[in-house]
Amino acid sequence: MKKKINMQLVVIAVLSILATLVLTGAAFYKLFYKQVFEDLKVYSVILEKEALLGDWEKEGSVSDDVLRITLIGQEGNVIYDNTAEIATMENHKERTEIARAMEKGEGKAVRESATLGKSTFYYARLLEDGNVLRVAKEAKSLWSVFGNAVPLISLIVATLLISCLIMAHLLTESLIAPVEQMAKNLDAIDEIETYEELQPFVAMIKKQHEDIVKSVKVRQEFTANVTHELKTPLTSISGYAELIETGMASDADVVKFAKGIHKNSNRLLSLINDIIRLSELDSSSGELVFEKINLYTLAQTCVDMLQFNADKHNVSLHLMGQESYVSGDKQMLEEVLYNLCENAIRYNNENGSVIVTVLPEGEKTLLIVEDTGIGIPKESQERVFERFYRVDKSRSKSTGGTGLGLAIVKHITIKHGAEIQVESEVGKGTKITVTFN
Ligand code: ATP
Ligand code: MG
C-alpha cells in the first residue's frame, strides 16, 4: 500500500510538473509572439511618422541590421528594401502579410528563416498613399527558446522532482503511520488516532483481538484446572495404595482404602469423560446432522434411568407435559437431560422433589427442570456454566461433581440454537428452562 500511495503521489507530481512546464511555455511564447508584433507595429508607425518615407530610395537611410524594412507598391512590386537588391525581388502581392494589409490595412506572418532555429516575423501596414510598409524582424523560434532554456528547465525540474519524491515519501509515511502503529500495538488500539474511515476495521480488529486474548486465557485456565482436578483424585489413589502396600493397614482398613481408591478412580473417569466430551464439542466445527426427536420420550427414558438414583437420595422425580418435537442430536439432548436431572437430584434436600416438564409453546419447545433443592446464589447463576465452576466446592466434590456438567449443557444448547435460563432462590430451589426454537 505504501509503495502504491508513494508511486501515485510521484506520478501526480511528475504530471503536474510537466503540465506546468508546457502551459507556462506556451503562455510565455504567446506573450513573446505578441510582443514582437507589437514592437514591429511601433517601428512601422515611427518610420511613417518620422517622415522617412520620402527618403526611401536614399541608400542606407535606414540601415538597421536587426530590422528589415520593405516598401511595396500597390501592384506588389518592391519599391524599397534596406537589406536586399530590389531588382532581384519578386512580386510580393501574394505574400500573406501583404495581401492581408492590402485588404484589411494590417497583416502579420511568421516564416521559418534560412537560419536554423529562427523565425522571421513580418508586420505589414497599408499606408495612406496605397503602398504597403513591411517591417520584419528575426527572432528565435519556440523550439530554440526552449532549447536554450533546457539546462535551466532541467535543473528546475530535477529540483522539483527531488523535493516531490521527498515530500511523497514523508506524506506516505505520515499517512500510513497510524495503521502501522495499530498493527504494532493491538492492545492500545483505542489510544491511537486513526482515520474515521478505518473505525469499523479498528472496532472489528479490536473485538477479534479481545476474543483471541479471552479464548487464550480461558484455554490456559482450563488447562490449569484440568491438571489440578486430575491431580487431586490421583494423589488420593496413590496414598491409599501406598498404605496398603506397606502392609500397615488392617483388613478392615484395606476394604476402606479400596473403597477410597474405587471412588476416586470413578471420579477420575467421569472427569476424563467430561473433558473429552467438551473437547469433542469444541472441535466439531458446525456440520451436525440433526434429526426430529420427541423430547418427551427422551425425557421419559432419562427419568426412568435416574429413578433409582433419586430414590437413593430420597428425592421424588416426575415427568410432566406432553409430546413435543425438536430438531437435534439425540445423544447430545440425552446429555442435557441427564446433566440437568442429575444436578436437580444431587443439589436437592432430603424428601425434595424434581419435576421435569416438556411442552410445546407455539413453534418452540420448552424443557423445564425444577427442583426444591438448595438453590444457587444470585452471583453464581451466570457462572455455573463456566468450566469447573462449583458453587460449594466441598459439597460438590463430596457428591462427585466436577463442575463440567453445565458447561457441556451450555455448549450443546448453543449448538442447537436453544436458550438456557436459570431461576433460583437459595433454600427454595432451582428452575432451569431450555427453550428450543
Ligand atoms: P458434574 O455435573 O460435572 O458432575 P457439577 O454438578 O458440580 O459436576 P455442574 O453441573 O456444571 O457441575 O454444576 C455447576 C455447579 O452449579 C454445581 O457445582 C452446583 O454448585 C451448582 N448447581 C448446578 N445445578 C444446581 C441445582 N439444581 N441446584 C443447586 N445448585 C446447582
Ligand atoms: Mg452436574
Side-chain angles (χ1 to χ4, degrees), residues 117-242:
K118 290 206 168 178
S119 302
T120 308
F121 291 72
Y122 297 94
Y123 174 79
R125 222 154 64 84
L126 187 65
L127 302 178
E128 274 167 18
D129 58 7
N131 291 340
V132 174
L133 170 65
R134 187 182 74 175
V135 195
K137 187 181 170 184
E138 240 186 6
K140 283 180 178 165
S141 70
L142 172 65
W143 301 118
S144 70
V145 170
F146 260 128
N148 280 353
V150 160
L152 184 68
I153 290 174
S154 317
L155 191 73
I156 293 170
V157 168
T159 320
L160 280 176
L161 256 179
I162 290 170
S163 36
C164 281
L165 281 175
I166 295 169
M167 298 248 283
H169 179 75
L170 292 177
L171 205 66
T172 316
E173 284 291 333
S174 76
L175 267 173
I176 301 297
V179 180
E180 282 185 335
Q181 254 182 318
M182 266 186 334
K184 271 190 209 137
N185 199 353
L186 275 176
D187 285 316
I189 206 164
D190 272 338
E191 288 147 36
I192 298 161
E193 260 186 52
T194 51
Y195 309 106
E196 205 183 315
E197 293 81 355
L198 284 182
Q199 279 313 316
F201 295 102
V202 173
M204 199 173 78
I205 292 169
K206 193 180 151 210
K207 190 171 176 300
Q208 283 183 348
H209 180 63
E210 279 170 1
D211 285 352
I212 291 169
V213 169
K214 210 156 89 187
S215 100
V216 166
K217 209 177 140 214
V218 166
R219 238 157 250 275
Q220 279 172 347
E221 267 175 18
F222 183 62
T223 315
N225 278 330
V226 166
T227 319
H228 176 77
E229 296 290 334
L230 289 177
K231 240 172 140 177
T232 322
L234 265 176
T235 314
S236 303
I237 291 170
S238 172
Y240 289 131
E242 197 185 354

Side-chain angles (χ1 to χ4, degrees), residues 376-402:
I376 306 168
K378 217 126 219 88
E379 65 274 12
S380 297
Q381 284 175 13
E382 273 294 312
R383 301 201 62 194
V384 290
F385 298 105
E386 287 174 18
R387 295 170 182 192
F388 294 113
Y389 184 83
R390 283 159 297 201
V391 176
D392 177 353
K393 286 227 179 302
S394 60
R395 172 164 181 148
S396 196
K397 226 172 233 174
S398 70
T399 51
T402 60

Side-chain angles (χ1 to χ4, degrees), residues 339 342-343 346-347 405-406:
N339 271 303
E342 202 198 22
N343 282 349
R346 192 190 281 169
Y347 304 107
L406 286 180

Side-chain angles (χ1 to χ4, degrees), residues 307-327:
Q307 203 65 56
F308 174 72
N309 191 353
D311 290 345
K312 217 168 70 181
H313 284 84
N314 269 327
V315 170
S316 71
L317 175 62
H318 296 291
L319 175 65
M320 281 168 51
Q322 63 190 85
E323 298 210 330
S324 188
Y325 288 86
V326 296
S327 157

Side-chain angles (χ1 to χ4, degrees), residues 314-362:
N314 269 327
V315 170
S316 71
L317 175 62
H318 296 291
L319 175 65
M320 281 168 51
Q322 63 190 85
E323 298 210 330
S324 188
Y325 288 86
V326 296
S327 157
D329 181 283
K330 193 172 171 207
Q331 198 204 335
M332 288 189 186
L333 293 178
E334 268 171 358
E335 274 176 88
V336 170
L337 278 162
Y338 189 85
N339 271 303
L340 293 181
C341 294
E342 202 198 22
N343 282 349
I345 296 167
R346 192 190 281 169
Y347 304 107
N348 217 316
N349 296 313
E350 195 79 8
N351 299 318
S353 74
V354 176
I355 295 170
V356 182
T357 314
V358 175
L359 80 166
E361 197 193 61

Side-chain angles (χ1 to χ4, degrees), residues 241-348:
E242 197 185 354
L243 285 174
I244 297 170
E245 190 188 20
T246 52
M248 287 190 335
S250 64
D251 283 356
D253 280 344
V254 169
V255 175
K256 208 176 104 195
F257 294 162
K259 225 174 165 177
I261 291 176
H262 187 197
K263 197 182 128 202
N264 277 293
S265 39
N266 271 345
R267 180 172 160 70
L268 213 53
L269 274 178
S270 76
L271 194 66
I272 289 167
N273 267 334
D274 281 354
I275 292 168
I276 290 173
R277 191 68 193 123
L278 263 178
S279 73
E280 269 173 12
L281 286 170
D282 273 342
S283 58
S284 69
S285 49
E287 292 316 296
L288 278 171
V289 193
F290 285 162
E291 48 185 329
K292 200 176 164 195
I293 286 160
N294 187 339
L295 198 62
Y296 188 81
T297 329
L298 209 63
Q300 185 68 65
T301 321
C302 177
V303 166
D304 291 346
M305 223 163 64
L306 284 171
Q307 203 65 56
F308 174 72
N309 191 353
D311 290 345
K312 217 168 70 181
H313 284 84
N314 269 327
V315 170
S316 71
L317 175 62
H318 296 291
L319 175 65
M320 281 168 51
Q322 63 190 85
E323 298 210 330
S324 188
Y325 288 86
V326 296
S327 157
D329 181 283
K330 193 172 171 207
Q331 198 204 335
M332 288 189 186
L333 293 178
E334 268 171 358
E335 274 176 88
V336 170
L337 278 162
Y338 189 85
N339 271 303
L340 293 181
C341 294
E342 202 198 22
N343 282 349
I345 296 167
R346 192 190 281 169
Y347 304 107
N348 217 316

